[in-house]
Amino acid sequence: MSLPPAGRREILAWAFYDFANSGYTTVVLTTIYSAYFVGVIASGGNDTSPGLATLLWTLAIGASNFIVLLAGPVVGALADYRARKKRFLLVASAVCILGTALLALAGPGEVTLAMALVILSATAFSFGENLIAAFLPEIASEERAGRISGYGWGLGYFGGLLTLGLCLAWINYASGAGMSAAQYVPATLLITALIYACTAAPTFIWLRERATPRPLPPGYSWLHAGFSQVAHTLRRAGELPDLFRFLLCLTLFQAGVATVVVVAAIYAQEVFGFDSQQLIVLIMVVNLTAAAGALGFGHLQDRFGSIPTLSAALLVWVAAILAALVASEPAHLWLSGNLIGLAMGATQAGGRALIANLTPAERNAEIFGLWGFANRAAAIVGPLSYGLINHLWGDNHRLALLCTLAFFVAGLLLLLTVNERRGEAAARATG
């Protein structure tokens, strides 16, 4: 029996997962732990090879994304066949929460352990992102996908704010008591894991699985079926040209976004000397502007269309990166940071909503597995290009950031070739 359309409580439960997992992004990937890894755990490497610590951080992120790049579409196809997105999401969440908590065990100099746990937790986090996104077409119509996706991203930024705020309170207390970063940072990871576990609960209580299981083809295993479905989708790429063109476009601009996410705190720390408290306050303000961007651009996207709205957001990204490149003192980073927040909220919510509108029915998890594939490819190419350029040119963060700017410009140019209405019609005809 088919379930009724999603009501407000179920939509809120879906959006609350973004609230829950955003603490991981802000604390581990963006703010506290990334700077801690470079400045404390792997800092010894910089003494003999400038920029090595940053390169090791981007290598760990790249390894995680390579795993998801290979496995994400298959996991998505399996979730479609078995109609078990919610169960897969629960497993991914539990592994990410556990991996985050275990990061507290990695101390100064324990680079291998830290990298292994970052890879584990970041991989599980990415699988969770793919799976929660695959619910969007089931709970939102084409006309409301932009604003509902925006609600999720917007609520997510407030989740990041809550986690960062609690971590800031702890760091202020701990540093006032004379503790070092090696003593107080591990507790921030436990705080992050606890908030993730508690605030994800509404998702698993109220969000419902609307997909129905499909029988396996004769002689197929689940894994064979997953690979076959992905291969089938890729062979039929010509039926969905605008979807696949946008996936390529998304790969380009998300390479820039992914780079900013994982090196923003490192850039502020290494180039302008920001300490932990300054980094947290900066990212908290950025989260507020990102929430405004996600909510505001979500409504604009439903009114004016995805392509014009995303184009405007990418122009803001270009302005933000240019501002960071020419910044000569710490105060200048506040302008760049707030522009980044506004643009990040808009591109993340807008990209997910456009994918939802271009996706054929009955293939949500599979296509969002490909969406995850594009995101993960971007998250390998972007941060690694930054880390390699920074390392090869003797810890030159500004030159590395110039490469990041090129990703946004290329993504904007390709976006202008995507026809949204034609893509939506193709999705309806193919589903």
Side-chain angles (χ1 to χ4, degrees):
M1 186 176 74
S2 61
L3 293 172
R8 290 183 180 179
R9 186 177 70 174
E10 191 174 1
I11 291 172
L12 182 62
W14 175 84
F16 232 85
Y17 191 83
D18 281 344
F19 183 99
N21 74 354
S22 288
Y24 177 83
T25 308
T26 52
V27 172
V28 178
L29 300 183
T30 304
T31 312
I32 299 173
Y33 197 77
S34 59
Y36 177 71
F37 180 92
V38 172
V40 177
I41 290 181
S43 61
N46 285 336
D47 297 335
T48 56
S49 183
L52 179 61
T54 299
L55 179 60
L56 290 173
W57 172 252
T58 57
L59 282 172
I61 300 300
S64 163
N65 286 298
F66 184 71
I67 294 170
V68 181
L69 183 146
L70 294 179
V74 176
V75 171
L78 286 171
D80 273 340
Y81 266 107
R82 306 187 70 173
R84 290 184 177 178
K85 296 189 297 296
K86 188 173 177 179
R87 186 174 299 182
F88 286 16
L89 179 64
L90 179 60
V91 173
S93 303
V95 173
C96 184
I97 291 165
L98 178 62
T100 302
L102 290 176
L103 275 171
L105 301 177
E110 295 180 312
V111 177
T112 302
L113 176 61
M115 290 182 70
L117 290 171
V118 166
I119 292 169
L120 174 68
S121 60
T123 299
F125 171 83
S126 297
F127 279 129
E129 272 199 320
N130 292 356
L131 291 162
I132 194 65
F135 281 95
L136 180 58
E138 296 179 8
I139 65 172
S141 64
E142 289 181 3
E143 295 76 19
R144 301 179 66 206
R147 75 191 73 172
I148 290 178
S149 181
Y151 294 155
W153 282 115
L155 194 58
Y157 290 119
F158 286 110
L161 278 171
L162 171 65
T163 309
L164 277 178
L166 291 175
C167 290
L168 178 60
W170 160 247
I171 289 173
N172 284 338
Y173 167 79
S175 59
M179 296 185 192
S180 66
Q183 293 172 305
Y184 62 68
V185 167
T188 65
L189 298 164
L190 299 177
I191 291 169
T192 302
L194 180 62
I195 292 174
Y196 192 161
C198 293
T199 57
T203 303
F204 297 104
I205 293 172
W206 289 306
L207 183 62
R208 292 181 287 184
E209 181 82 61
R210 283 174 165 74
T212 55
R214 287 181 280 165
L216 281 174
Y220 275 49
S221 66
W222 290 114
L223 191 60
H224 186 190
F227 276 109
S228 297
Q229 185 62 55
V230 173
H232 179 67
T233 300
L234 293 176
R235 285 195 299 269
R236 295 172 65 190
E239 300 174 11
L240 302 165
D242 290 289
L243 170 63
F244 281 84
R245 188 173 298 164
F246 180 65
L247 283 169
L248 178 58
C249 164
L250 183 141
T251 303
L252 289 169
F253 73 71
Q254 278 296 127
V257 174
T259 304
V260 172
V261 167
V262 300
V263 304
I266 296 169
Y267 187 87
Q269 174 181 269
E270 300 298 311
V271 177
F272 292 99
F274 276 42
D275 60 25
S276 295
Q277 288 93 333
Q278 290 173 309
L279 287 173
I280 291 175
V281 172
L282 174 62
I283 299 301
M284 287 178 72
V285 173
V286 168
N287 270 20
L288 284 173
T289 55
L295 294 169
F297 274 77
H299 284 278
L300 291 174
Q301 183 175 10
D302 287 342
R303 182 173 180 181
F304 297 108
S306 298
I307 305 304
T309 308
L310 279 171
S311 298
L314 290 176
L315 286 172
V316 176
W317 265 115
V318 170
I321 300 302
L322 286 172
L325 279 169
V326 302
S328 58
E329 58 185 73
H332 296 160
L333 280 187
W334 288 93
L335 171 62
S336 175
N338 282 284
L339 287 173
I340 285 172
L342 185 66
M344 184 176 295
T347 49
Q348 288 179 322
R352 181 167 65 179
L354 181 54
I355 290 292
N357 288 346
L358 299 178
T359 296
E362 306 300 328
R363 291 161 66 186
N364 292 333
E366 175 194 338
I367 296 299
F368 272 96
L370 294 177
W371 171 76
F373 184 98
N375 277 303
R376 301 288 71 81
I380 295 170
V381 173
L384 273 180
S385 66
Y386 186 102
L388 285 169
I389 291 171
N390 178 66
H391 180 56
L392 293 174
W393 270 267
D395 214 18
N396 190 331
H397 285 272
R398 292 186 190 272
L399 181 61
L401 191 61
L402 188 62
C403 176
T404 304
L405 175 64
F407 288 123
F408 289 111
V409 173
L412 174 61
L413 294 176
L414 186 57
L415 177 64
L416 298 177
T417 69
V418 177
N419 187 314
E420 184 176 0
R421 297 291 170 255
R422 182 179 63 198
E424 290 174 350
R428 287 189 292 270
T430 307

